[in-house]
Amino acid sequence: MTNEEVIKVSNEVLAQTYGRFPVVLVKGKGCRVWDVEGKEYLDFVAGIGVCNLGHCHPKVVQAIREQAGKLLHVSNLYHIGPQIELAQLLVKHSFADRVFFCNSGTEANEAAIKLARKYSQDHYGPGRYEIISLLKSFHGRTLGALAATGQEKFHKGFEPMMTGFKYVPREDLAAMEAAITEATCAILVEPIQAEGGVNLFSENYLKGLRQLCDQKKLVLIFDEVQVGMGRTGKLFAYEHYGVPPDIMTMAKGLAGGVPIGATLAKDEVAKSFTPGSHAATFGGNPLSTAAGVAALRATIEDGILENCQRSSAHFLKRLEELKKKHSFIRDVRGKGLMIGLELDREGKNVVTDCLKKGFLINCTDETVLRFIPPLIVTPEEIDRLIMALGEVFSTWSWS
Ligand SMILES: *Cc1c(COP(=O)(O)O)cnc(C)c1O
């Protein structure tokens, strides 16, 4: 089969919700993937921050194989071993006391929204339901998480949006404070905005949000769906800033490639979820949580975070060198292996040219090339990408 043959069928039978690149990927190992024609690519997308351990990490694959032969699914009407084990690990390594499992990032945020409302209404009465999030944020595509997402382009055509959400400019504490009313129950932010263009916040800003939440008795929710699980060089991005949230959502990298979502909370807040108040049939399923246990263990025990930090320093240095050579590069920024290179023009052609050269990269917010490779990426692999990028930048006719 060729890429073209498969893509023809794909275009006939799939909902066209993605603008897909013209390759069919069939195999992966570490930082490499192969298409149906056998062409090899170095992967700097990693399933958009899902494959943090690389493709088909042996420990994750083994855990899935073993669990698949034992027990695939039972209802949450019963206790599930790997689910308990994964929750224990998450609690041990984070600010949180309790975990609710679901299947995706957007679902984790839905649970966070519901929990924040329930907690606030349990404690402060029925008028507290409003959540303030940021412009340029991304929290998911289901209607609650979509309403929380501060980007009009995602709302278009799906109005009316669910009420009870408002958005303020990022890195602006005064705007946040001014937006808080009697109805506010929570502030929801990504500690680093990923889809919005790899936007970092100052420690002062995140600390300021924590203070505002403490003063006004609001729930601070961090969406770590993309930046959690070691992506930034620490297990969770909030650790860089010393600002623990009350609720945190995760998903992408949590189970090494298997669908999963999790909403973590302090006990005081988590207590507002009682039997019957929220549920997910597949949430915390034996298969996905067994994969999660293997992935989290490997992330903590196998030097993944250290490699992420080392490779990050090398990557940022090499990108800074490129920036010195090309005036159309506006900015290089990032933390760990969540790295953005902002151009003064659209970046999608750079992505296509890199694909032809055998490199998967991604562009977000139109002008920001985003690099989110597996956290096991080596300096040599980074150098290969830098060379390809250099070629693309010097041959591209920037008209
Ligand atoms: C990807 C993402 C989501 C949505 O996750 P899905 O699994 O696609 O529903 C939510 N928040 C952030 C920060 C994300 O990057």
Side-chain angles (χ1 to χ4, degrees):
M1 290 274 252
T2 63
N3 286 304
E4 201 184 323
E5 283 163 355
V6 179
I7 289 164
K8 186 173 174 293
V9 183
S10 170
N11 287 340
E12 282 167 13
V13 297
L14 289 177
Q16 299 294 293
T17 48
Y18 278 82
R20 292 183 165 91
F21 293 100
V23 288
V24 182
L25 299 173
V26 294
K27 199 175 91 168
K29 187 167 193 250
C31 294
R32 294 175 298 165
V33 289
W34 288 267
D35 73 13
V36 69
E37 295 172 26
K39 181 172 168 180
E40 182 180 312
Y41 302 83
L42 253 187
D43 187 0
F44 285 80
V45 177
I48 313 194
V50 169
C51 310
N52 286 8
L53 295 169
H55 294 278
C56 299
H57 189 280
K59 289 185 177 174
V60 175
V61 170
Q62 193 196 343
I64 292 171
R65 286 210 168 107
E66 276 173 18
Q67 188 60 47
K70 229 190 275 174
L71 183 68
L72 277 176
H73 183 83
V74 284
S75 168
N76 279 305
L77 291 170
Y78 313 98
H79 295 271
I80 298 170
Q83 180 184 122
I84 299 163
E85 206 181 336
L86 182 55
Q88 256 182 325
L89 280 172
L90 287 168
V91 164
K92 180 174 171 202
H93 292 282
S94 76
F95 73 94
D97 302 311
R98 290 181 185 275
V99 186
F100 171 81
F101 285 109
C102 53
N103 310 286
S104 66
T106 200
E107 240 186 290
N109 284 328
E110 295 292 333
I113 292 164
K114 285 180 72 175
L115 181 57
R117 281 190 173 185
K118 182 78 165 38
Y119 168 79
S120 300
Q121 293 177 24
D122 284 352
H123 290 263
Y124 310 111
R128 308 249 302 201
Y129 59 88
E130 196 171 72
I131 295 178
I132 307 174
S133 61
L134 300 182
L135 293 169
K136 292 252 181 185
S137 59
F138 182 82
H139 300 295
R141 303 290 195 148
T142 53
L143 286 167
L146 184 65
T149 294
Q151 298 195 61
E152 226 170 85
K153 68 179 179 194
F154 295 117
H155 295 175
K156 240 188 179 152
F158 300 108
E159 296 91 348
M161 282 296 113
M162 183 181 156
T163 52
F165 292 88
K166 58 182 169 190
Y167 326 103
V168 297
R170 64 193 155 89
E171 196 64 38
D172 185 342
L173 273 180
M176 181 62 81
E177 188 164 9
I180 296 168
T181 68
E182 287 295 296
T184 308
C185 76
I187 292 174
L188 165 61
V189 304
E190 303 154 81
I192 297 173
Q193 290 184 331
E195 298 304 307
V198 190
N199 305 316
L200 282 80
F201 296 105
S202 68
E203 188 170 318
N204 265 349
Y205 180 70
L206 294 174
K207 289 211 156 111
L209 292 184
R210 180 70 270 175
Q211 272 169 3
L212 274 178
C213 286
D214 292 344
Q215 278 162 16
K216 315 248 178 184
K217 298 195 173 2
L218 309 178
V219 177
L220 180 61
I221 309 169
F222 280 167
D223 177 343
E224 294 225 12
V225 167
Q226 193 163 154
V227 296
M229 280 305 278
R231 174 56 50 193
T232 63
K234 292 194 187 279
L235 194 55
F236 303 110
Y238 76 80
E239 296 173 47
H240 290 283
Y241 307 96
V243 181
D246 303 300
I247 299 178
M248 176 173 76
T249 58
M250 351 177 21
K252 289 189 166 93
L254 180 52
V258 176
I260 194 168
T263 306
L264 283 64
K266 297 293 294 175
D267 194 39
E268 150 91 0
V269 176
K271 272 197 296 227
S272 283
F273 268 171
T274 52
S277 47
H278 195 52
T281 295
F282 288 111
N285 163 296
L287 188 75
S288 62
T289 47
V293 168
L296 185 49
R297 283 238 164 90
T299 304
I300 294 162
E301 293 165 10
D302 295 354
I304 302 290
L305 300 176
E306 293 74 14
N307 188 75
C308 175
Q309 291 161 13
R310 264 195 311 273
S311 288
S312 170
H314 183 75
F315 209 153
L316 289 167
K317 187 179 97 202
R318 298 302 318 267
L319 290 173
E320 286 293 346
E321 288 165 18
L322 271 185
K323 178 169 175 264
K324 285 204 188 93
K325 276 194 219 146
H326 303 285
S327 58
F328 52 78
I329 299 177
R330 267 201 192 138
D331 193 25
V332 172
R333 55 179 179 259
K335 222 175 204 21
L337 289 167
M338 163 65 61
I339 293 178
L341 181 140
E342 186 178 343
L343 303 171
D344 70 357
R345 61 203 76 190
E346 280 193 9
K348 62 173 185 254
N349 292 323
V350 180
V351 177
T352 312
D353 286 358
C354 282
L355 184 74
K356 287 185 195 137
K357 289 177 173 292
F359 296 87
L360 306 185
I361 65 165
N362 165 261
C363 180
T364 190
D365 200 35
E366 270 105 63
T367 58
V368 182
L369 300 178
R370 179 175 43 170
F371 308 104
I372 35 179
L375 309 181
I376 58 168
V377 73
T378 62
E380 294 72 33
E381 287 166 330
I382 291 164
D383 287 345
R384 282 166 58 195
L385 172 77
I386 296 288
M387 188 160 2
L389 267 180
E391 285 166 17
V392 170
F393 284 155
S394 56
T395 58
W396 187 251
S397 65
W398 296 91
S399 53

